[in-house]
Amino acid sequence: TFILKNAILTNFSTDEGGGVIFGDDYSSITVTNSTFKNNIAQINGGAIYVHGQLNVTDSTFTNNTASYYGGAIHSYYADISISNSTFISNTLIDDGGGGGAIGNYGGNITVNNCTFKNNGYFDTNGGAIVNEEGYIKVTKSNFINNTGYNGGAISLYYGDADVINSSFTNNNAEADGGAISNYYGDLNVT
């Protein structure tokens, strides 16, 4: 178990995953009222990479960078809850990956009352969030000026999603889905 409260984490880097925090499949991580800024992962998860459990509340992720998946956070078969948090200008630097702010592969993610602004990169999928072979539930969240190749804000690929009471403003895709792209998944927007 790892608990992080009231922290400011800036300019960390790693040659692997998780610029600041790496959690294996037995990990349980709680982040509260913390700031992650200018952190870099050479592979996935510019700030956090998790394979276990992650709970994030009242936190801010700004200018974090990864090469392939999850400019700020990457989930690999993890269970993640994120609430009352802000993701600004997180990005990816290599073509073909996804999730300017959050990358999810095979996990379950719940996002509630969050703001995603200016995240992404035009050659990667999901300016704010990419979901591959997992499930995401997004509630009462705002997506503003995010950019991706498929899915300016959210990209689904063999993944399922429920998007509830959320807003999408000025998100842009180079190919499909200015707000949301869905390939081979179940998508419900209400």
Side-chain angles (χ1 to χ4, degrees):
T1 300
F2 178 74
I3 298 172
L4 181 71
K5 293 182 179 179
N6 306 320
I8 298 173
L9 300 147
T10 304
N11 298 323
F12 286 84
S13 65
T14 180
D15 291 336
E16 299 287 333
V20 179
I21 299 170
F22 176 88
D24 67 14
D25 51 350
Y26 299 105
S27 63
S28 177
I29 301 167
T30 300
V31 175
T32 306
N33 194 36
S34 294
T35 298
F36 295 81
K37 185 175 181 180
N38 299 333
N39 301 294
I40 299 171
Q42 295 300 323
I43 299 180
N44 300 325
I48 301 172
Y49 179 108
V50 64
H51 188 47
Q53 295 180 338
L54 173 66
N55 186 1
V56 176
T57 56
D58 301 311
S59 295
T60 302
F61 296 80
T62 306
N63 293 326
N64 299 287
T65 303
S67 291
Y68 302 107
Y69 287 94
I73 298 173
H74 181 60
S75 157
Y76 185 73
Y77 292 100
D79 290 318
I80 296 180
S81 174
I82 303 169
S83 60
N84 305 320
S85 296
T86 303
F87 295 81
I88 300 172
S89 299
N90 300 285
T91 193
L92 303 167
I93 57 174
D94 284 340
D95 300 349
I102 300 172
N104 179 39
Y105 187 88
N108 295 301
I109 297 183
T110 301
V111 175
N112 183 55
N113 196 36
C114 291
T115 297
F116 297 85
K117 185 175 182 180
N118 298 330
N119 298 287
Y121 172 58
F122 71 92
D123 263 352
T124 59
N125 295 323
I129 300 172
V130 70
N131 179 40
E132 295 186 5
E133 301 185 26
Y135 172 74
I136 60 170
K137 181 178 182 181
V138 178
T139 307
K140 296 180 181 176
S141 295
N142 300 307
F143 295 84
I144 305 160
N145 296 333
N146 300 288
T147 301
Y149 185 76
N150 290 311
I154 299 173
S155 176
L156 307 177
Y157 187 72
Y158 288 102
D160 300 331
D162 290 304
V163 180
I164 303 162
N165 293 334
S166 295
S167 68
F168 296 82
T169 306
N170 295 329
N171 299 283
N172 296 288
E174 291 292 307
D176 299 325
I180 302 173
S181 70
N182 177 25
Y183 290 96
Y184 316 111
D186 289 328
L187 170 64
N188 297 299
V189 179
T190 56

